[in-house]
Amino acid sequence: QCSALGGAGGAGGTGGTPGDPNEPNAPGGQFGSSDSDAGGGGICVASGSNATISDCILADCNAVGGGEGSGRGGGIYYGEGYWGALTADMTACVAGSGGGIYCGPDSDLTINDCSISGGSSDYGAAIYCDSDCLLTINQCILTDGAADYGAGIYSAIACTLAVTATEVSNNAASTDGGGIYCGPNATVTLIDCDISRNVSTGSGGGLFYGTGG
């Protein structure tokens, strides 16, 4: 079991140098968070890699460039071409894209038995799935997220999203897709899911399909 608490740049992350006095926003610095547009507040898995992450807890991790950047993957960042599986719980993780998880382009990620709650981001408070990504979600709980678009899940252009026996609830989008946002030409399959009590200021409180979706 592993824990990443209050991470910024994280294990293998792309944040600042911990404790460097010339980087006051780096982990251990004066302000205690990364000063880059970080990838992976808790864990960063580089492009082209494969890894299985199991039985992890990530809490209060961020990838937002010291609060002003547009980092990706507050909890976990997966780079382009990644393939593998994940089981983890995440709470109150923050990023520009993917408050909990960012899955890079052309990746193949399976998420099993995860609970992701209280995240925030511009796109995908719990999960952000980038273009041409294959994302499979089984028996997860995605709750209490806040985002501009896709407060539960944000699926970008031409993604394939398969969700089974998963709860997406109590999420709020300031624009579209309170529960799930699907971009153009994305494919989504929902089986035995609970998509409820999600809200959006714009369209699709539960589910939003973009043009061509």
Side-chain angles (χ1 to χ4, degrees):
Q1 188 178 56
C2 68
S3 298
L5 307 177
T14 58
T17 304
D20 188 331
N22 295 315
E23 298 186 61
N25 288 315
Q30 180 180 356
F31 303 113
S33 63
S34 171
D35 62 357
S36 72
D37 285 348
I43 298 170
C44 176
V45 181
S47 297
S49 300
N50 67 286
T52 298
I53 300 173
S54 300
D55 300 323
C56 289
I57 299 171
L58 298 102
D60 299 310
C61 297
N62 79 74
V64 293
E68 297 179 355
S70 56
R72 296 167 292 177
I76 302 177
Y77 169 92
Y78 292 101
E80 183 174 359
Y82 167 85
W83 60 272
L86 167 69
T87 302
D89 291 336
M90 303 180 201
T91 303
C93 294
V94 181
S97 297
I101 300 166
Y102 172 88
C103 185
D106 299 305
S107 294
D108 184 345
L109 174 64
T110 298
I111 303 173
N112 298 310
D113 300 307
C114 285
S115 174
I116 306 175
S117 64
S120 63
S121 69
D122 297 330
Y123 304 91
I127 300 170
Y128 182 101
C129 178
D130 214 329
S131 58
D132 297 300
C133 180
L134 174 60
L135 178 63
T136 304
I137 302 173
N138 300 311
Q139 296 182 318
C140 293
I141 300 174
L142 312 177
T143 62
D144 301 312
D148 293 339
Y149 297 87
I153 302 168
Y154 183 96
S155 177
I157 296 172
C159 285
T160 300
L161 177 64
V163 188
T164 303
T166 288
E167 176 185 341
V168 183
S169 65
N170 295 314
N171 299 290
S174 63
T175 307
D176 299 326
I180 301 172
Y181 180 102
C182 293
N185 300 313
T187 300
V188 59
T189 302
L190 304 175
I191 301 173
D192 296 328
C193 292
D194 176 5
I195 314 295
S196 62
R197 301 181 302 280
N198 302 288
V199 297
S200 67
T201 302
S203 301
L207 174 64
F208 177 88
Y209 275 101
T211 303

